């Protein structure tokens, strides 16, 4: 074994040890908090497991949430490796969703296969625009990206509430809890009886596969 390969193995081992230590500390602190309120850590873990992957439906619902978080996390990894912070990823996900729905409304009454790439592009534009705004606040306004990101998260939430309670509220409805539902033809085809679509999982996995060697 050469000195270079030995050095690489040492670095890899140290990184793995750091990850395991971090996970162990997180689990340990969580267990202490659970014990402090008089609950059983084992029972809590069991409930979390059953609630997230206990059935096919729950595994599907967990995967639906995982897709967005996985893609956003891949972007965060690159940001952190560059020595920057992005605490505004929540707002970027929200703005990406808003732009996606806005684009979908062009095809509301006439769904076509062309709608999917257009919705995807506008979703990316919305999320990227919110991220660029954080950068602009830092460069030209002197606002730290942590505070800018956190602040814009609240703005994104407020914009969502405004749209649901106003322009996007279902016609003839007094409810402010949801917007008008998107036509099924504009949704990615899900697996039978489940919410998750393989067409959503595949890009998320691809992004992780691409980002991993880059790091």
């Amino acid at each position: 074994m050469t000195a270079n390969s030995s050095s690489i193995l040492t670095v890899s081992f140290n990184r793995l040890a750091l990850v395991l230590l971090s996970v162990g500390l997180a689990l340990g602190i969580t267990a202490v908090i659970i014990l402090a309120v008089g609950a059983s850590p084992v029972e809590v873990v069991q409930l979390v497991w059953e609630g997230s992957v206990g059935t096919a439906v729950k595994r599907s619902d967990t995967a639906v949430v995982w897709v967005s978080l996985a893609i956003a996390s891949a972007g965060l990894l690159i940001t952190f490796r560059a020595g920057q912070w992005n605490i505004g990823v929540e707002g970027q996900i929200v703005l990406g969703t808003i732009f996606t729905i806005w684009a979908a409304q062009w095809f509301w009454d006439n769904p076509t296969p062309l709608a999917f790439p257009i919705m995807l592009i506008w979703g990316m534009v919305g999320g990227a625009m919110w991220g660029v705004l954080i950068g602009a606040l830092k460069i030209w306004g002197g606002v730290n990206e942590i505070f800018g990101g956190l602040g814009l998260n609240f703005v994104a939430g407020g914009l969502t509430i405004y749209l649901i309670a106003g322009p996007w509220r279902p016609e003839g409805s007094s409810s402010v809890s949801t917007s008008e539902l998107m036509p099924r033809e504009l949704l990615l085809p899900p697996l039978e009886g489940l919410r998750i679509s393989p067409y959503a999982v595949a890009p998320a996995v691809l992004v992780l596969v691409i980002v991993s060697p880059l790091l």
Side-chain angles (χ1 to χ4, degrees):
M1 180 181 297
T2 64
N4 185 46
S5 60
S6 177
S7 176
I8 293 175
L9 285 175
T10 301
V11 171
S12 300
F13 176 79
N14 289 339
R15 287 180 177 175
L16 178 61
L18 182 60
V19 170
L20 294 177
L21 178 61
S22 300
V23 173
L25 284 174
L27 293 176
I29 293 173
T30 303
V32 170
I33 295 174
I34 294 173
L35 290 171
V37 298
S40 167
V42 175
E43 184 178 352
V44 170
V45 170
Q46 182 179 359
L47 290 174
V48 170
W49 177 266
E50 293 176 353
S52 58
V53 295
T55 65
V57 171
K58 291 176 179 178
R59 288 192 292 271
S60 168
D61 292 346
T62 299
V64 168
V65 178
W66 174 83
V67 166
S68 297
L69 295 181
I71 295 175
S73 297
L76 286 176
L77 289 173
I78 296 175
T79 302
F80 294 153
R81 179 59 61 88
Q84 301 297 315
W85 291 90
N86 184 4
I87 312 298
V89 68
E90 178 183 342
Q92 291 155 33
I93 292 176
V94 171
L95 259 292
T97 304
I98 288 175
F99 270 59
T100 299
I101 296 176
W102 174 62
Q105 291 176 350
W106 304 344
F107 306 94
W108 218 260
D109 299 321
N110 185 29
T112 68
L114 186 62
F116 290 104
I118 292 178
M119 291 163 58
L120 177 63
I121 291 172
W122 275 107
M124 294 167 63
V125 168
M129 183 193 73
W130 216 238
V132 169
L133 183 56
I134 296 173
L137 287 173
K138 179 177 182 178
I139 294 173
W140 290 296
V143 180
N144 185 280
E145 66 268 25
I146 295 177
F147 300 111
L150 284 174
L152 286 177
N153 284 345
F154 289 102
V155 175
L159 178 59
T160 302
I161 294 173
Y162 162 73
L163 291 172
I164 291 176
W168 290 357
R169 184 172 64 182
E171 186 176 353
S173 172
S174 59
S175 173
V176 293
S177 61
T178 182
S179 63
E180 185 176 353
L181 296 179
M182 188 182 296
R184 183 176 295 274
E185 293 81 3
L186 293 178
L187 299 175
L188 293 174
L191 296 174
E192 186 175 357
L194 303 175
R195 292 176 56 206
I196 190 62
S197 170
Y199 298 102
V201 174
V205 173
L206 179 61
V207 166
L208 295 177
V209 169
I210 292 175
V211 168
S212 180
L214 293 179
L215 297 178

